[in-house]
Amino acid sequence: MKIDLFYVEGEHDNVPGIARTVVATEDDANKEAEVLLKAGAYVYRQDMSVEIPLVYSHLEVEAALCVWEHLCEITVNTEQPASPTWNEYREKVGSVALRHDSIYISKWVNQVYDLLPEWYRAIGAYDWEIIPAIVSCLTPGETFKDLKQTRDELLSSEDAEIEYRRSFYWTLKARYGLDMEGVGLSEEEFVTYWYDRDVAPEDQVDRYAEKYDLEKVR
């Protein structure tokens, strides 16, 4: 891949040596040149396009492996593919193309993951639950979709609601000694008044406790 760099060089009649700087943005190049000019230097500048090897981080490689593992799990690794649509797509484009898709999907997966709250990430393992859930938001052939739309889709799922409720009641029991029966909230009441995906379940418990003047047991 290629990146654009900016080389700035300055030389002064009365000062020995040459100042040389390579920066990544045009704004930084302009700032460097301005400093040299104010010091009375002669300034030479060159814009460069540099070829650099493609490098992946450890996190990106791990995500790509997890995505590929999941796609294999729902296609050819089962007698009856768990996802006929993904299996049909794999047969159409071939395993090599799908494996390459996994690389691009994994970059998108990591971006979605960064937007998810901690309580949702606690639903299960990164490789066996979270990544499959994110990938399930894609249509075969897609390698990405709108990040916020995907986040909202995941947080609106039944699994998300179940995890939120579990965390809410676990915290309520640990902090205030109340179980589900002691609280007496119906499922509809919980969803209507206390399920807020933008507020951590632990914080929502404290709001509940404040509303009903509960005392902590620990």
Side-chain angles (χ1 to χ4, degrees):
M1 61 181 286
K2 289 186 176 181
I3 62 170
D4 294 325
L5 296 176
F6 304 88
Y7 173 79
V8 182
E9 178 181 293
E11 186 174 7
H12 199 286
D13 285 339
N14 301 318
V15 179
I18 300 175
R20 297 184 176 91
T21 305
V22 177
V23 294
T25 68
E26 188 168 4
D27 285 344
D28 288 338
N30 291 335
K31 291 176 182 178
E32 291 288 340
E34 185 178 352
V35 171
L36 292 170
L37 287 170
K38 286 182 178 180
Y42 301 102
V43 176
Y44 168 76
R45 170 179 158 173
Q46 181 179 0
D47 300 346
M48 304 181 297
S49 183
V50 181
E51 187 77 31
I52 62 171
L54 191 60
V55 177
Y56 294 95
S57 69
H58 179 89
L59 184 62
E60 289 171 331
V61 171
E62 180 187 28
L65 290 171
C66 291
V67 169
W68 176 238
E69 182 180 30
H70 169 63
L71 292 178
C72 287
E73 186 68 25
I74 63 176
T75 55
V76 298
N77 278 1
T78 55
E79 293 183 6
Q80 296 294 327
S83 175
T85 55
W86 273 104
N87 189 59
E88 181 181 352
Y89 175 73
R90 180 172 186 159
E91 291 180 346
K92 177 182 177 181
V93 302
S95 295
V96 173
L98 184 60
R99 190 163 60 245
H100 290 172
D101 282 351
S102 299
I103 298 172
Y104 300 106
I105 292 173
S106 67
K107 289 179 175 290
W108 170 78
V109 163
N110 280 331
Q111 291 176 314
V112 174
Y113 184 83
D114 288 341
L115 295 179
L116 295 172
E118 288 294 336
W119 66 263
Y120 181 88
R121 297 179 190 179
I123 284 178
Y126 174 77
D127 53 349
W128 286 104
E129 280 84 21
I130 304 301
I131 280 189
I134 298 174
V135 174
S136 71
C137 297
L138 293 175
T139 299
E142 292 182 328
T143 56
F144 69 94
K145 63 189 296 186
D146 183 81
L147 297 175
K148 186 178 183 303
Q149 177 186 342
T150 305
R151 173 187 180 273
D152 291 345
E153 182 177 339
L154 291 167
L155 297 185
S156 299
S157 68
E158 182 180 356
D159 286 343
E161 183 184 317
I162 291 172
E163 173 59 26
Y164 194 97
R165 185 186 296 110
R166 184 203 66 78
S167 182
F168 179 91
Y169 282 114
W170 185 92
T171 304
L172 194 62
K173 176 72 173 178
R175 292 182 182 177
Y176 299 97
L178 288 178
D179 55 18
M180 294 180 65
E181 293 182 359
V183 175
L185 282 174
S186 68
E187 182 176 339
E188 182 179 354
E189 288 174 324
F190 178 84
V191 172
T192 301
Y193 298 108
W194 299 105
Y195 179 41
D196 186 340
R197 63 193 188 192
D198 293 319
V199 178
E202 296 83 0
D203 295 336
Q204 201 71 315
V205 164
D206 288 337
R207 293 181 181 183
Y208 180 91
E210 183 178 1
K211 177 179 176 64
Y212 294 104
D213 196 25
L214 303 179
E215 293 186 5
K216 286 187 176 182
V217 296
R218 62 176 67 180

